[in-house]
Amino acid sequence: MRHDTTFLDDLGLAAHQMSVGDADREQRSHDWGTAREDGVRPDVVVWPESTADVSSILDAATDHGVPVTPYAAGTSLEGNAVPVEGGITLDMTRMDAVLDIRPDDLQVDVQPGILGDDVNEAVAKHGLFLPALPSSGAISTIGGMLANDASGMKTVKYGEVSDWVLGMEVVLPTGEVITTGSTAAKTSSGYDLGDLIVGSEGTLGVITRVTIQLAGRPRQVRGGRAYFETLNDAAEAVFDAVRSGVDVAKIELIDRLSAAMSNAHLDTDLPDVPMVFVEFHADHGIEDEIEFCRTVFEAHGVTEFEVAENDRGMADLWAARRELAEALEPYEEQLSPLTPGDVTVPISEYPGMIRYAKELGEQEDFLIPCFGHAGDGNLHYAVMVDPDDPEDVAHGKEVSRRIVEHAIELGGTSTGEHGIGLGKQDYLVAEHGDAAVDAMRSIKDALDPAGIMNPGKVFDGPTA
């Protein structure tokens, strides 16, 4: 262990809320984006059950100078929840309650450890839902989504999860409890501390309550899949659909290689061609919107456009995109994907961005499946490498670096929804500039003077 565990007596927790057991510590040493062998065990795992618990833990940790790394479902992809300096892993999953539903105001109050899908299940009886919930809502918590500023397939219509947050309760590293926002639909009162906490990856404080704005469930939901001869046709069709104002809730793209991977994984016989997946939400006139989309796609040489008649058919049509993340690893026996790419560019640059990634893969002799939330310019990609060949891994990392740098050159970002964590620190200055990063460091130092909150994340090196 890295730290003297005498601090445990000052945390104010019951015995069942703490563990120094090997299994508990090992489980929280890594996240989905971190290989088990690269994980770091915390000295102790603690489970707060209230805001008061979180406050007591952070107060004691600050006094003792012990690092604290918040942890929830462990589904992050950039090492965001890895306790790189040991100390305390703060597992928030026992704080998973729905605290209040106010259907007349279209609002719900929840604790951070609740899974996204559980929020929707709780409010469904009122005909409401959280529209921006990503497809990982079944396995990701609300607190984790906000910490990493997550989004997903429906961002093109509904925005990010954080766009639906009205207010939060947050415990600062010193143990002080603050509230951000209100239950009003808008405010211009003071600094927007909520936006500061969102995306801070647990480096500025711990979210303990969230007030979420909801929406009525759409009466009409239809989905479909379109085939194109070339990747450029598919990418241009997506750009044209968004530019033309086609009202899509989701519009996703996969390239020819991704289609082949999905076919192999699902044992299906779809054509190995670029595909665009769409979903429409409306209360009326959905057929008109589908035909509008069809017209746009036809201008870009769509070869087939299937639209499902019911939910089951829609699930079948979307399977190739939905299961893609699981299809990468087994495609080539000796190849594994590097950490999933997550660049985002202005929508006008999306066709060029995806062309660049594919051409670079051909030039450098790498398989690079490209797919993603095309409607908001988010490109996911994976550079496939031989993990047992250090030179191949190093070369693959260099190729991935060039893709990220190209996205930034186009006015985009190194990470659209996965956060900085450990994996994207090298791009922070290139994207934001020295002065902006210095300002970020100053905020970190002001709110976390002891430097205990998730150290080693976002910034490369100490903040003080």
Side-chain angles (χ1 to χ4, degrees):
M1 292 189 178
R2 297 188 176 198
H3 300 273
D4 183 348
T5 54
T6 55
F7 66 84
L8 295 177
D9 295 335
D10 294 335
L11 297 183
L13 300 177
H16 73 275
Q17 293 178 271
M18 300 182 288
S19 174
V20 294
D22 288 345
D24 287 328
R25 293 164 54 226
E26 175 63 25
Q27 182 182 344
R28 294 158 185 83
S29 68
H30 57 281
D31 59 15
W32 276 21
T34 307
R36 184 177 294 270
E37 60 269 20
D38 294 330
V40 179
R41 288 186 179 187
D43 296 310
V44 61
V45 179
V46 303
W47 289 268
E49 297 174 358
S50 66
T51 299
D53 284 348
V54 176
S55 177
S56 176
I57 293 164
L58 296 191
D59 182 33
T62 292
D63 285 347
H64 288 271
V66 178
V68 178
T69 302
Y71 185 98
T75 55
S76 52
L77 294 170
E78 292 290 354
N80 318 68
V82 176
V84 292
E85 295 189 11
I88 298 168
T89 281
L90 189 71
D91 189 316
M92 300 298 293
T93 53
R94 292 184 186 174
M95 294 182 64
D96 62 351
V98 175
L99 301 173
D100 188 28
I101 302 174
R102 296 180 294 281
D104 289 346
D105 289 322
L106 286 74
Q107 294 177 8
V108 63
D109 296 337
V110 300
Q111 291 182 314
I114 190 169
L115 295 174
D117 280 7
D118 289 345
V119 175
N120 273 346
E121 183 178 345
V123 302
K125 61 185 176 182
H126 301 288
L128 302 173
F129 79 131
L130 172 55
L133 197 66
S135 56
S136 62
I139 56 174
S140 302
T141 66
I142 291 295
M145 292 177 198
L146 295 178
N148 291 341
D149 201 7
S151 54
M153 292 185 181
K154 297 192 288 287
T155 301
V156 63
K157 180 177 177 70
Y158 296 112
E160 299 177 299
V161 177
S162 59
D163 294 328
W164 294 79
V165 172
L166 293 172
M168 293 183 288
E169 178 183 77
V170 179
V171 181
L172 298 179
T174 56
E176 297 169 285
V177 181
I178 66 170
T179 58
T180 73
S182 69
T183 56
K186 62 179 182 179
T187 176
S188 59
S189 175
Y191 292 174
D192 192 340
L193 296 179
D195 268 2
L196 189 62
I197 296 298
V198 167
S200 63
E201 302 183 31
T203 63
L204 300 181
V206 179
I207 300 167
T208 52
R209 189 191 72 240
V210 186
T211 297
I212 299 171
Q213 186 74 54
L214 304 168
R217 290 182 174 274
R219 296 176 183 175
Q220 299 174 312
V221 177
R222 299 282 301 280
R225 179 175 62 206
Y227 302 95
F228 293 84
E229 290 187 0
T230 71
L231 181 59
N232 190 65
D233 287 341
E236 291 287 352
V238 170
F239 167 47
D240 199 1
V242 174
R243 177 182 58 180
S244 301
V246 177
D247 187 11
V248 288
K250 301 177 184 177
I251 183 165
E252 301 277 315
L253 179 148
I254 70 174
D255 68 0
R256 191 184 305 273
L257 176 58
S258 301
M261 289 176 161
S262 287
N263 272 326
H265 178 63
L266 296 171
D267 194 24
T268 51
D269 57 357
L270 297 173
D272 292 342
V273 298
M275 302 180 197
V276 173
F277 299 79
V278 289
E279 186 171 295
F280 304 88
H281 294 181
D283 289 327
H284 53 80
I286 199 167
E287 296 299 334
D288 292 339
E289 208 61 45
I290 292 171
E291 288 309 307
F292 181 19
C293 184
R294 189 186 302 276
T295 299
V296 172
F297 284 2
E298 287 174 348
H300 296 278
V302 65
T303 59
E304 186 177 353
F305 186 17
E306 307 172 80
V307 179
E309 296 299 326
N310 51 48
D311 289 347
R312 182 173 179 178
M314 192 161 63
D316 290 342
L317 286 180
W318 271 78
R321 173 64 185 96
R322 187 179 61 249
E323 302 293 331
L324 188 52
E326 303 296 327
L328 303 183
E329 185 75 43
Y331 184 68
E332 289 279 354
E333 186 175 350
Q334 294 183 331
L335 300 181
S336 293
L338 289 174
T339 300
D342 176 38
V343 299
T344 304
V345 296
I347 190 62
S348 63
E349 301 288 358
Y350 192 77
M353 183 69 236
I354 200 168
R355 282 196 300 271
Y356 177 84
K358 296 302 293 185
E359 290 170 359
L360 184 60
E362 292 175 3
Q363 292 169 10
E364 302 296 329
D365 197 25
F366 280 103
L367 293 179
I368 303 181
C370 290
F371 52 97
H373 314 318
D376 55 46
N378 192 181
L379 173 63
H380 292 321
Y381 64 90
V383 181
M384 305 296 290
V385 301
D386 180 351
D388 297 323
D389 182 344
E391 290 187 6
D392 198 48
V393 171
H395 188 191
K397 288 181 178 179
E398 171 63 17
V399 168
S400 183
R401 181 190 64 79
R402 290 172 62 182
I403 292 173
V404 175
E405 290 178 346
H406 188 69
I408 294 172
E409 290 169 1
L410 294 177
T413 176
S414 64
T415 174
E417 56 188 18
H418 297 166
I420 293 293
L422 296 169
K424 294 290 177 66
Q425 294 178 354
D426 291 346
Y427 307 108
L428 205 61
V429 170
E431 185 171 334
H432 299 285
D434 286 310
V437 174
D438 285 345
M440 295 179 198
R441 290 180 181 273
S442 296
I443 293 168
K444 166 70 170 171
D445 292 340
L447 293 181
D448 184 17
I452 66 160
M453 289 303 306
N454 208 4
K457 308 300 166 50
V458 182
F459 306 104
D460 95 358
T463 58

